[in-house]
C-alpha cells in the first residue's frame, strides 16, 4: 500500500533526516539533495548516447566496469541541454528500484557546497511558480535568505518515465493532438 504524503508532511519528513545537503546548479538555479544520497562526484566523462532514449538521458557511462545512465537535469527540468564546461559534474547516486540498487548519474552545471539546514527552515513546496514540476520537489529550504529546492530523487530519476522510448512519447503526443 502506498500512502501519499502532502507537502507539509514531506517537508517534515525531510527535516527529520540528516541535515547536510549538497547544493548544485542547474541552469543557474540552486538545488540540493541529501548528502547521504550522493555516492560520489566525478568529472564529466565519455558518454554513449542511447538510441531512441528521451533527451533527458544524456547517455550511459562506464563506472568502474558498470554501465550507469546519466540524466541531464537541465533537460529533465526545462528541456534545455546542459552546456558542458570545466565546472560541469556528474553526481553519482544510488537508488533502490523494485528491490534492486540502481546507480545513476545526474549532470549538473557545478557543485556549490555542503550546507546544514535546520529543521525550522524547511517549507512545503509551492503549488506553482517553482520553475520545475512539483513532483520533483521534496521541499524548499531557506538558507542565508535564499530558497533552495530540495529534490525528490525518486521522482526526478523515475525509471519508468526515463525508460520511455522517444517514439512512444511522439506517438502519445500525436494521439493527444488527434483526440482534440
Amino acid at each position: 500500500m502506498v500512502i501519499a504524503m502532502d507537502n507539509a508532511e514531506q517537508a517534515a519528513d525531510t527535516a527529520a533526516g540528516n541535515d547536510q545537503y549538497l547544493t548544485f546548479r542547474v541552469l543557474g538555479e540552486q538545488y540540493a539533495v541529501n548528502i547521504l544520497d550522493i555516492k560520489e562526484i566525478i568529472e564529466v566523462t565519455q558518454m554513449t548516447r542511447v538510441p531512441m532514449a528521451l533527451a533527458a538521458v544524456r547517455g550511459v557511462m562506464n563506472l568502474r566496469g558498470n554501465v550507469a545512465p546519466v540524466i541531464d537535469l537541465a533537460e529533465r527540468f526545462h528541456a534545455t541541454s546542459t552546456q558542458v564546461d570545466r565546472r560541469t559534474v556528474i553526481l553519482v547516486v544510488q537508488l533502490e528500484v523494485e528491490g534492486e540498487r540502481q546507480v545513476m548519474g545526474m549532470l549538473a552545471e557545478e557543485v556549490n557546497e555542503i550546507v546544514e539546514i535546520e529543521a525550522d527552515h524547511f517549507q512545503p513546496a509551492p503549488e506553482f511558480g517553482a520553475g520545475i514540476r512539483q513532483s520533483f520537489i521534496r521541499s524548499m529550504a531557506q538558507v542565508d535568505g535564499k530558497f533552495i529546492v530540495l529534490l525528490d530523487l525518486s521522482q526526478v530519476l523515475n525509471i519508468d518515465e526515463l525508460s520511455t522510448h522517444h517514439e512512444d512519447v511522439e506517438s502519445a503526443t500525436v494521439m493527444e493532438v488527434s483526440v482534440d
Side-chain angles (χ1 to χ4, degrees):
M1 172 183 243
V2 175
I3 300 172
M5 291 191 290
D6 68 14
N7 287 340
E9 288 173 323
Q10 282 184 338
D13 183 50
T14 299
N18 185 334
D19 62 353
Q20 290 190 328
Y21 295 83
L22 177 71
T23 62
F24 54 92
R25 292 205 176 276
V26 175
L27 293 177
E29 297 294 321
Q30 193 165 1
Y31 297 93
V33 295
N34 191 303
I35 193 70
L36 297 177
D37 290 333
I38 302 294
K39 279 189 66 156
E40 60 186 302
I41 301 167
I42 61 174
E43 293 179 340
V44 175
T45 182
Q46 179 68 33
M47 289 177 269
T48 303
R49 184 80 178 126
V50 178
M52 297 187 335
L54 293 177
V57 181
R58 188 72 175 244
V60 294
M61 67 177 175
N62 181 346
L63 190 62
R64 287 180 287 291
N66 296 311
V67 175
V70 177
I71 308 307
D72 186 339
L73 293 177
E75 189 72 50
R76 184 81 165 126
F77 297 163
H78 303 288
T80 303
S81 295
T82 298
Q83 297 301 316
V84 176
D85 64 22
R86 64 179 182 80
R87 301 180 98 178
T88 309
V89 296
I90 297 174
L91 307 171
V92 179
V93 298
Q94 188 170 20
L95 301 174
E96 190 164 321
V97 180
E98 297 177 3
E100 292 186 29
R101 294 258 186 231
Q102 174 71 43
V103 174
M104 300 178 80
M106 301 186 304
L107 194 63
E109 286 175 4
E110 67 181 350
V111 169
N112 293 354
E113 62 184 336
I114 296 173
V115 296
E116 289 191 25
I117 304 174
E118 302 283 329
D120 61 347
H121 291 138
F122 288 95
Q123 299 179 15
E127 293 295 321
F128 60 91
I132 64 172
R133 204 163 86 187
Q134 187 184 14
S135 65
F136 291 167
I137 304 172
R138 174 156 298 192
S139 63
M140 305 281 288
Q142 192 167 6
V143 178
D144 297 330
K146 296 179 182 177
F147 281 101
I148 298 174
V149 175
L150 279 68
L151 297 176
D152 182 343
L153 292 182
S154 67
Q155 293 298 313
V156 172
L157 302 176
N158 183 303
I159 299 294
D160 292 335
E161 284 183 24
L162 292 170
S163 62
T164 303
H165 292 291
H166 186 65
E167 288 179 345
D168 295 342
V169 173
E170 287 179 350
S171 63
T173 304
V174 170
M175 290 175 67
E176 284 179 22
V177 172
S178 64
V179 171
D180 290 341

